[in-house]
Amino acid sequence: MKTATLASIALAISISAAHAQTIGVSMSDLDKFRTALLNGVVSHGQTISGLKLVTESAKGDNELQKKQVQQFVADKVDAIIVAVSDGDLGPQMTKIAADAGIPLIYINNVPSNLMDLPDNQVVVASNEKESGTLETKQVCTLLKGKGRVVVLMGEPFHAAARARTQDISDVIATPDCKGLQIVERQAAYWSSDYADQQMQEWLSAGVKFDAVIANNDEMALGAIRAMKRNNIPMKDVVVAGVDATNDALAAMVAGDLDVTILQSAVGQGAAAVDAAVKLIRKEKVPRENNVPFELVTPENIATYLPKSQ
């Protein structure tokens, strides 16, 4: 997939400027998954005649992201796609776009005002009930329903982090998995470096565990890095993540990662662009548009290598 240049790039895709439509895209930040997500938006946008994309990264700054959306409004874009880090930004983003009458598509993260969105605002994401549930059920199966678990969480205010963490608890509460025990649970903010540091703290403190369940692959890989640095055999620990990034799949092929869940950045990106185009045309689009998660394991990884992010 062609990598997008992320300095407010503009992709002019049509020769006919008279009929060109412009979509502004604001990403909260650009970790590996969100970069893949943006690439999914851009690559699908390139297939649509008469479409221009203007993309921005807020670099983790909520105020900057609000200013980017306000600038899109000032520039009179035809639609806005926004990936917010904090679902609680939803009401503010919704008001900015609604006051201007511009369609707004939330991608990947669900806004806190989901049920109050106007007709020309929708969400394209994946049902987080599937992600953490698929991940933890597979860990439970590999541990035969018994063992000690440490959990690495994403940003505490991110809807996906909250949902995936709750999924873990819900699965452990089931009869087949009630032998699992969460011995530590800490936020590592989707970051491999933070996860590495957190794992090092646990190891230095003598925490004993049989599995690591991370809200995303980056944190799973950071935990693996710390464990290998401390000479822990990876065959002795079950490690699970979410996203099925290229790095995660490589770690699975190497025998370090046991479970990941494909969250299709390509699928979400394409669906967000399609929703934007329909809303620009005044067509009806469902408020919630879910792109399914898929379980990836060493047994079926060959199926996913060609289409992963």
Side-chain angles (χ1 to χ4, degrees):
M1 183 181 296
K2 183 180 179 181
T3 301
T5 302
L6 303 171
S8 188
I9 61 174
L11 295 176
I13 302 167
S14 173
I15 298 175
S16 175
H19 297 92
Q21 295 169 333
T22 300
I23 299 176
V25 185
S26 174
M27 306 298 294
S28 60
D29 207 344
L30 288 170
D31 57 15
K32 289 199 174 180
F33 178 77
R34 280 175 279 204
T35 297
L37 188 65
L38 178 59
N39 288 341
V41 170
V42 170
S43 62
H44 189 65
Q46 289 175 319
T47 69
I48 300 175
S49 178
L51 190 63
K52 175 183 175 181
L53 299 181
V54 179
T55 76
E56 295 280 2
S57 169
K59 302 177 182 178
D61 186 332
N62 290 345
E63 288 303 313
L64 176 57
Q65 188 166 44
K66 285 165 54 181
K67 290 178 181 177
Q68 289 171 353
V69 173
Q70 289 168 337
Q71 187 61 52
F72 288 151
V73 169
D75 292 341
K76 300 187 185 320
V77 299
D78 298 287
I80 298 169
I81 296 173
V82 60
V84 293
S85 62
D86 185 350
D88 289 339
L89 282 176
Q92 298 175 65
M93 297 297 191
T94 285
K95 186 177 189 318
I96 294 169
D99 287 350
I102 297 175
L104 178 65
I105 299 85
Y106 290 96
I107 187 172
N108 188 246
N109 194 6
V110 179
S112 61
N113 60 323
L114 170 65
M115 302 312 296
D116 299 320
L117 294 180
D119 290 342
N120 68 343
Q121 297 190 13
V122 302
V123 177
V124 173
S126 297
N127 185 349
E128 293 298 345
K129 188 65 180 174
E130 298 172 4
S131 59
T133 299
L134 288 170
E135 177 188 28
T136 309
K137 281 185 175 180
Q138 183 65 13
V139 171
C140 177
T141 297
L142 293 173
L143 292 180
K144 298 181 170 52
K146 296 180 180 179
R148 296 159 296 187
V149 176
V150 295
V151 177
L152 289 166
M153 302 181 293
E155 295 158 346
F157 46 77
H158 194 292
R162 291 196 296 259
R164 293 174 191 179
T165 303
Q166 184 61 49
D167 293 342
I168 296 169
S169 298
D170 290 345
V171 170
I172 290 176
T174 63
D176 290 344
C177 303
K178 63 183 180 181
L180 298 181
Q181 176 190 4
I182 297 175
V183 294
E184 289 286 352
R185 183 171 64 184
Q186 294 292 337
Y189 303 92
W190 307 122
S191 164
S192 60
D193 289 339
Y194 280 126
D196 184 326
Q197 293 170 19
Q198 184 57 64
M199 177 56 68
Q200 185 61 57
E201 288 182 16
W202 285 335
L203 294 175
S204 298
V207 175
K208 304 298 182 184
F209 54 89
D210 304 294
V212 179
I213 304 180
N215 284 171
N216 78 339
D217 286 337
E218 283 292 286
M219 294 187 293
L221 295 176
I224 288 169
R225 188 167 69 227
M227 287 187 284
K228 294 180 79 168
R229 190 172 60 246
N230 285 268
N231 300 315
I232 294 176
M234 296 314 302
K235 65 181 178 60
D236 294 343
V237 183
V238 173
V239 184
V242 176
D243 286 336
T245 62
N246 281 341
D247 289 346
L249 296 182
M252 185 172 285
V253 170
D256 296 333
L257 185 71
D258 302 283
V259 183
T260 188
I261 309 298
L262 176 68
Q263 178 177 200
S264 178
V266 172
Q268 288 188 14
V273 172
D274 288 342
V277 170
K278 288 179 180 178
L279 290 172
I280 291 170
R281 295 172 181 167
K282 309 297 185 184
E283 297 177 19
K284 290 285 291 181
V285 177
R287 177 185 291 154
E288 297 180 68
N289 302 269
N290 288 322
V291 178
F293 284 101
E294 301 172 40
L295 175 66
V296 183
T297 67
E299 289 70 34
N300 69 359
I301 189 173
T303 304
Y304 291 90
L305 286 171
K307 68 174 183 177
S308 74
Q309 286 81 53

